[in-house]
Amino acid sequence: MTISFKDRVAIVTGAGGGLGRAYALDLAARGAKVVVNDLGGSRDGTGTSDAAAQVVEEIKAAGGEAMANGGSVTEYEQMVEMVAKTKEAWGGVHVLINNAGILRDKSFAKMEPADFDLVVKVHLLGSANCTKAVWETMREQNYGRILMTASSTGLYGNFGQANYGAAKLGLAGLTKTLYLEGAKNNIKVNTLAPVAGTRMTEDIFPPEAFAQFKPENVVPAAVYLVSEDAPTNMIIGAGAGAFHAAYVTMTQGAALPEGERTAEGVARIFDKITDRTGETVPQSGSEQAMTIMRLLQG
Ligand code: NAD
């Protein structure tokens, strides 16, 4: 099976370097026309550069089609303009990879509200901005593939990244509602949690691991998740050529009879509430209420 993006138009945000660049190069090599978005700032989100234009040059040199966009994902109007220009040039938008990101790591005790605000703004609101900007087009086309970029920090936590983790789990939450709203228009929405040696992680990985975790090893997961036969509502982890899935599960739970619904009652049955035997993976929020109803009916 060959996965082709011929006649597809893709937007990759934050594609001026790191993972986004690697996604853009592979999509273009597979025939996609690619918008390389990046404002080209530093790791903490300050400054600008022509990083996007450089990746466009690389794609063109390899025989692909691409255009640069220097807009910031934090500015909804700039994302609307990017989509309008894309449609004007290439007639549609079939793929969106929300990848742009910054870091402002500090323990929560030392974190300024402004650091929390900016990180959530770039990752979570930035992805919502770009997705909103392409959403109507994808609905009209009855075709859309959207990838959100989460992180192990969002899914599982990491010391010093409260702002980043909150934004990243928010993206998994955004996926979980958009996959429902997009389903009838063939819009598939997934979440990727990558691990890669980029400037974002250069001070974390030892040199050998940095090479093993090269961005190209995450590309297969990202590209599959925005392909024609992509699944939807998945959370996939990828790094160094290894892949796994993450799920938000619900235990069978337990109910307290009327008259025993107290904190002491919860303490008494807490082991039963948290027992993972027979846990499920709800496909929408309403399954929580349905499970409760079933429990109450005995
Ligand atoms: P990176 O710093 O190389 O790439 C991020 C890119 O986003 C940069 O090129 C930057 O200029 C761009 N960007 C930042 N703010 C922007 C804005 N407002 N508008 C447009 N572009 C903007 O780092 P990376 O490791 O390639 O990260 C890519 C994505 O993967 C990020 O969302 C990151 O949080 C996520 N991620 C990376 C890892 C990892 O191990 N590298 C792990 C988990 C998640």
Side-chain angles (χ1 to χ4, degrees):
M1 181 183 69
T2 306
I3 294 181
S4 168
F5 285 83
K6 189 173 174 299
D7 300 326
R8 297 291 185 212
V9 176
I11 296 176
V12 184
T13 70
L19 287 161
R21 170 183 165 273
Y23 304 154
L25 288 170
D26 196 70
L27 287 168
R30 291 172 182 277
K33 300 178 179 76
V34 182
V35 177
V36 177
N37 158 270
D38 206 305
L39 56 58
S42 60
R43 192 168 84 163
D44 70 357
T46 50
T48 55
S49 73
D50 67 347
Q54 287 178 28
V55 174
V56 167
E57 285 316 308
E58 276 187 80
I59 290 174
K60 286 185 174 167
E65 261 190 272
M67 73 164 98
N69 175 276
S72 172
V73 296
T74 58
E75 305 304 316
Y76 176 62
E77 290 311 325
Q78 292 181 16
M79 295 301 99
V80 169
E81 198 186 313
M82 172 177 73
V83 170
K85 280 188 178 153
T86 307
K87 288 174 72 178
E88 204 180 297
W90 294 328
V93 182
H94 307 99
V95 170
L96 169 66
I97 301 185
N98 286 304
N99 165 80
I102 60 163
L103 287 182
R104 293 273 172 111
D105 292 359
K106 274 188 186 99
S107 67
F108 193 58
K110 292 186 183 143
M111 190 177 284
E112 294 297 331
D115 294 327
F116 207 104
D117 198 73
L118 186 62
V119 166
V120 171
K121 205 168 167 184
V122 173
H123 291 274
L124 181 56
L125 302 183
S127 301
N129 283 339
C130 299
T131 304
K132 177 71 184 164
V134 301
W135 193 249
E136 213 39 52
T137 301
M138 289 185 172
R139 276 163 46 87
E140 282 164 19
Q141 291 168 172
N142 274 315
Y143 191 95
R145 300 288 180 265
I146 299 172
L147 188 61
M148 306 293 179
T149 306
S151 155
S152 57
T153 298
L155 300 175
Y156 312 117
N158 192 24
F159 195 98
Q161 292 196 309
N163 48 2
Y164 183 76
K168 289 306 201 185
L169 191 57
L171 285 163
L174 185 57
T175 295
K176 288 195 167 293
T177 283
L178 291 186
Y179 106 88
L180 290 168
E181 295 191 11
K184 74 173 191 299
N185 294 106
N186 186 21
I187 301 174
K188 296 184 177 176
V189 192
N190 292 289
T191 304
L192 180 68
V195 190
T198 65
R199 71 177 188 176
M200 211 176 247
T201 50
E202 64 195 352
D203 40 9
I204 300 171
F205 282 118
E208 328 78 71
F210 195 81
Q212 197 176 21
F213 281 85
K214 60 185 179 191
E216 287 71 18
N217 282 332
V218 173
V219 169
V223 168
Y224 172 64
L225 291 173
V226 295
S227 67
E228 179 109 27
D229 294 331
T232 192
N233 189 31
M234 295 301 295
I235 303 172
I236 298 296
F243 308 92
H244 56 265
Y247 294 98
V248 179
T249 66
M250 186 165 65
T251 64
Q252 290 292 308
L256 286 168
E258 196 112 41
E260 289 179 36
R261 293 172 185 166
T262 58
E264 291 79 5
V266 169
R268 185 167 45 74
I269 65 166
F270 202 67
D271 283 350
K272 193 138 192 259
I273 293 170
T274 55
D275 180 358
R276 299 190 61 184
T277 310
E279 71 184 359
T280 58
V281 180
Q283 294 303 300
S284 78
S286 61
E287 287 184 31
Q288 184 188 20
M290 277 155 39
T291 302
I292 290 171
M293 296 308 288
R294 268 201 306 276
L295 259 182
L296 293 178
Q297 283 154 15

